[in-house]
């Protein structure tokens, strides 16, 4: 039973355009969400996060949107750059006492074409 | 400022053998989590160590065990290796501090284990 789903295994976007990566979750206890980026032969790198008390969080070119009623979040990258080509993982957690694990989706491979 | 380091980078073992993987957390971090990433999957939580104790465990059998040392470094041990244990093993470190919603976990490059 996959609690965090990234239904698009891959996405190709032209340089300079917007990249939108989607993520759905099923566990209503999740209240904190993160995006990680992973290059080959490297570990995941933290990008941006959002708490369930917010519906948007921005950091430079990266914006995460959260729709709690739909149990859906998305990562927007504007403008997309070739260096953004990587696998992006959505992760979720429950920040209540006694929970320290992240639950990850399977990832979406983003290719930004120059 | 050194990030999370892991050793070795690659390892080949045969079924039934035992393996030990090592992790040094980012400077200033006191908590270490271990994840298993199978091919084509996202990382799966194995367990987390804080103050030399296992604080939380994911859905992994007892063949997976760990240890945290006083300097906060950690080891992951896997006994009686199965072919299905072939994966990338990721270590993540964080700093336990009060008043924050979530302690961001920072990952190392991983150890790729192949079981033949």
């Amino acid at each position: 039973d996959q609690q965090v789903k990234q239904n698009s295994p891959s996405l190709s976007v032209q340089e300079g355009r917007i990249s939108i990566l989607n993520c759905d979750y099923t566990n209503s206890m999740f209240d904190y969400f993160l995006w990680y980026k992973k290059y080959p032969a490297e570990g995941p790198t933290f990008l941006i996060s959002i708490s369930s008390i917010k519906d948007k969080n921005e950091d430079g070119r990266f914006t995460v949107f959260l729709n709690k009623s739909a149990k859906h979040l998305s990562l927007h990258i504007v403008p997309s750059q070739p260096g953004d080509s990587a696998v992006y993982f959505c992760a979720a957690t429950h920040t209540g006492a006694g929970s320290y694990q992240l639950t990850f989706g399977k990832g979406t491979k983003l290719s930004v074409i120059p | 400022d050194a990030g999370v380091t892991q050793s070795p980078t690659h390892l080949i073992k045969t079924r039934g053998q035992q393996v030990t993987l090592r992790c040094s957390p980012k400077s200033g971090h006191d908590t270490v989590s271990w994840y298993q990433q199978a091919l084509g999957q996202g990382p799966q939580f194995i367990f987390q160590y804080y103050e030399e104790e296992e604080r939380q465990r994911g859905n992994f059998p007892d063949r997976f065990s760990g240890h945290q040392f006083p300097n906060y470094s950690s080891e992951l041990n896997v006994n009686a290796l199965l072919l299905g244990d072939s994966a990338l093993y990721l270590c993540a470190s964080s700093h336990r501090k009060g008043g924050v919603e979530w302690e961001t976990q920072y990952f190392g490059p991983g150890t790729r284990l192949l079981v033949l």
Side-chain angles (χ1 to χ4, degrees):
Chain A
D1 175 32
Q2 233 190 319
Q3 299 185 65
V4 177
K5 299 177 186 178
Q6 295 178 256
N7 291 319
S8 299
S10 63
L11 175 68
S12 287
V13 170
Q14 208 71 30
E15 181 180 3
R17 307 292 283 266
I18 183 172
S19 295
I20 300 176
L21 297 101
N22 294 303
C23 177
D24 297 293
Y25 61 97
T26 57
N27 188 337
S28 57
M29 296 296 289
F30 288 150
D31 59 2
Y32 198 82
F33 306 88
L34 306 90
W35 285 93
Y36 281 84
K37 175 172 75 174
K38 188 179 185 301
Y39 294 118
E42 294 184 14
T45 302
F46 170 70
L47 263 180
I48 191 169
S49 61
I50 187 166
S51 164
S52 61
I53 62 172
K54 297 183 178 179
D55 54 18
K56 176 182 173 182
N57 189 27
E58 283 182 84
D59 184 1
R61 297 186 296 115
F62 302 90
T63 303
V64 56
F65 296 91
L66 175 62
N67 181 334
K68 279 191 301 182
S69 60
K71 293 192 177 70
H72 177 84
L73 61 155
S74 60
L75 175 68
H76 293 212
I77 307 174
V78 184
S80 300
Q81 299 173 354
D84 296 329
S85 297
V87 177
Y88 288 77
F89 290 99
C90 170
T93 189
H94 172 219
T95 59
S99 178
Y100 306 101
Q101 70 179 70
L102 289 171
T103 301
F104 283 84
K106 289 186 178 183
T108 296
K109 183 176 182 179
L110 173 66
S111 300
V112 180
I113 304 159
Chain B
D1 177 21
V4 180
T5 59
Q6 292 186 242
S7 63
T9 54
H10 295 82
L11 205 49
I12 300 175
K13 292 285 188 180
T14 55
R15 278 179 298 174
Q17 284 190 310
Q18 179 264 344
V19 69
T20 297
L21 310 181
R22 294 175 177 82
C23 171
S24 290
K26 188 176 163 67
S27 177
H29 285 186
D30 54 9
T31 303
V32 173
S33 304
W34 286 92
Y35 290 80
Q36 180 197 66
Q37 186 180 10
L39 203 60
Q41 304 293 316
Q44 272 199 291
F45 178 78
I46 303 174
F47 41 54
Q48 185 181 87
Y49 275 83
Y50 172 69
E51 291 187 339
E52 303 179 46
E53 297 281 337
E54 184 183 286
R55 186 158 74 166
Q56 187 178 14
R57 188 179 185 91
N59 190 23
F60 278 81
D62 292 345
R63 298 187 297 109
F64 289 77
S65 63
H67 189 79
Q68 186 179 34
F69 298 93
N71 67 352
Y72 309 121
S73 67
S74 177
E75 287 182 351
L76 164 66
N77 301 292
V78 187
N79 293 324
L81 284 167
L82 304 174
L83 296 180
D85 294 332
S86 295
L88 179 68
Y89 287 85
L90 294 162
C91 169
S93 73
S94 54
H95 174 52
R96 177 165 173 79
K97 48 186 180 286
V100 296
E101 194 162 13
W102 175 255
E103 304 152 6
T104 301
Q105 295 180 7
Y106 295 87
F107 285 82
T111 293
R112 188 161 294 283
L113 172 65
L114 177 61
V115 182
L116 301 176

